[in-house]
Amino acid sequence: MKILVVGGGGREHALVWKIRQSALAREVVAAPGNAGIASLARCVPLSADDVSGLARFAVEERFDLVVVGPEAPLTLGLADRLEAARVTVFGPSRAAAQLEGSKWFAKDLMLRGGIPTAQAWVASNRDEALGRAREIGLPVVVKADGLAAGKGVVIARDARELETAVDDALVRGVFGPSGERVVIEEFLEGEEASVLAFVDGRRSALLVPSQDHKRAHDGDEGPNTGGMGAYAPAAVLGAEALADVQRRVIDRAVATLEEHHGIVYRGVLYAGLMLTAGGIRVLEFNCRFGDPETQAVLPLLDADIVEIMIATARGELAPSSVGARPGAAACVVMA
């Protein structure tokens, strides 16, 4: 098979590395790729958010499978364009990608579906946002509603941090259109964990759980980032807890999407979790492989990832085919 991987980061490097191990992978191309990926695949100078260019390239080059790494092309509808052109794509539709493209869409879905999560409100002006935050009480979490490359979340621990976070989004426009609304959310304490699942619209299969570290600087003194490293498996989620996450989080989210919005989810669904004293709570959903979690999780996948991706895209996933190797893996980010 001729396979195109969209994206150019460490996540895509891990995807290309794993795809190359498949007996089905005859040729692998990355767009745009990077210097590390170039040792494993042909790289072409196409931006990951050039949806029209990527769709045209996929048709002209007759790719058998397109694997979309980042969230931006998914929220821009790349999967829809490829499906319309009858190109098999691993990644959810634009409608399904709203789970990541709008934090309030995801939060509303959780509330409708009875998925355990923090209390939250949405606000589009400064006074409303500050008022909601004061109702909840500090510390409080302020999130830009749209995509912000992992940098649109602030834990405001005092009034100054709260006002700065709200003003950055709603007044100064630091996040552009992504910050035209903010989600004001109850602060949760506990350990974080990430769970990635293959989802074919009806069935799901979980990969090993992982833990990533988001705050910059030694001692977690700095701001949130897109991720400063990860390891897997995360022992904080045992077999019983994972089964609970699959049933109450992953499967319930997929069912609620279809029931309330008529959306069929196919691809990878990422659940960012907080393990609180009161149980598991969902912090966020992502519509793609996490970065840097993918770099730690894929080395532990004991299966042909191309076979799984094709089956997922066709609605034919066999959960028993997704196995895990013994051992552990880690990803270190140098910045």
Side-chain angles (χ1 to χ4, degrees):
M1 298 180 73
K2 188 175 179 181
I3 301 168
L4 173 64
V5 176
V6 175
R11 165 186 48 215
E12 287 75 32
H13 193 166
L15 283 166
V16 168
W17 172 81
K18 192 67 176 179
I19 287 168
R20 281 289 304 270
Q21 296 173 18
S22 170
L24 296 175
R26 171 177 56 86
E27 180 183 357
V28 184
V29 179
N34 61 37
I37 292 172
S39 66
L40 297 172
R42 174 166 63 98
C43 296
V44 296
L46 272 174
S47 171
D49 56 8
D50 181 3
V51 171
S52 297
L54 288 165
R56 186 166 54 250
F57 178 66
V59 171
E60 289 173 354
E61 293 258 345
R62 298 185 178 182
F63 283 98
D64 299 294
L65 173 67
V66 176
V67 178
V68 186
E71 61 274 19
L74 292 167
T75 60
L76 292 171
L78 178 57
D80 306 71
R81 291 207 183 200
L82 292 168
E83 283 190 3
R86 297 187 177 180
V87 177
T88 301
V89 56
F90 181 82
S93 66
R94 181 175 190 165
Q98 290 179 90
L99 267 181
E100 181 167 5
S102 168
K103 292 180 179 64
W104 183 247
F105 179 89
K107 181 63 68 172
D108 181 66
L109 183 101
M110 290 184 237
L111 297 173
R112 287 173 182 266
I115 296 168
T117 188
Q119 285 186 302
W121 291 266
V122 66
S124 54
N125 67 70
R126 184 181 193 271
D127 290 343
E128 183 184 9
L130 293 176
R132 287 297 190 188
R134 289 173 185 135
E135 281 180 35
I136 298 172
L138 297 171
V140 70
V141 183
V142 181
K143 298 180 176 180
D145 181 50
L147 297 178
K151 299 174 180 65
V153 178
V154 174
I155 299 170
R157 300 183 182 277
D158 56 42
R160 182 184 59 80
E161 289 183 344
L162 170 63
E163 291 185 11
T164 298
V166 168
D167 288 347
D168 278 350
L170 296 178
V171 180
R172 287 184 281 273
V174 168
F175 306 110
S178 291
E180 290 177 354
R181 297 195 305 179
V182 292
V183 176
I184 306 296
E185 191 168 289
E186 169 194 11
F187 174 71
L188 299 175
E189 288 192 87
E191 284 206 61
E192 289 193 43
S194 303
V195 172
L196 299 169
F198 292 105
V199 176
D200 76 349
R202 293 177 297 155
R203 293 168 291 261
S204 65
L206 272 55
L207 289 90
V208 295
S210 59
Q211 235 181 13
D212 76 323
H213 307 281
K214 289 186 168 64
R215 297 190 67 168
H217 306 162
D218 292 341
D220 287 340
E221 297 283 331
N224 273 343
T225 70
M228 299 301 293
Y231 75 94
V236 293
L237 279 176
E240 188 176 332
L242 272 177
D244 189 49
V245 169
Q246 184 168 20
R247 179 177 57 85
R248 296 174 63 216
V249 176
I250 301 295
D251 292 347
R252 196 172 287 178
V254 173
T256 305
L257 261 180
E258 186 160 16
E259 180 183 349
H260 288 277
H261 300 283
I263 296 170
V264 176
Y265 193 103
R266 287 181 181 161
V268 158
L269 182 56
Y270 167 121
L273 309 171
M274 180 71 80
L275 282 59
T276 74
I280 291 170
R281 300 288 184 269
V282 180
L283 297 175
E284 64 177 353
F285 284 117
N286 291 336
C287 62
R288 38 70 190 180
F289 284 101
D291 190 345
E293 294 95 338
T294 301
Q295 293 92 297
V297 168
L298 286 192
L300 300 177
L301 174 61
D302 188 16
D304 186 317
I305 195 170
V306 175
E307 286 184 2
I308 293 170
M309 287 174 165
I310 293 289
T312 299
R314 292 175 177 169
E316 301 169 355
L317 176 66
S320 61
S321 68
V322 182
R325 300 181 192 279
C331 167
V332 177
V333 172
M334 293 190 293

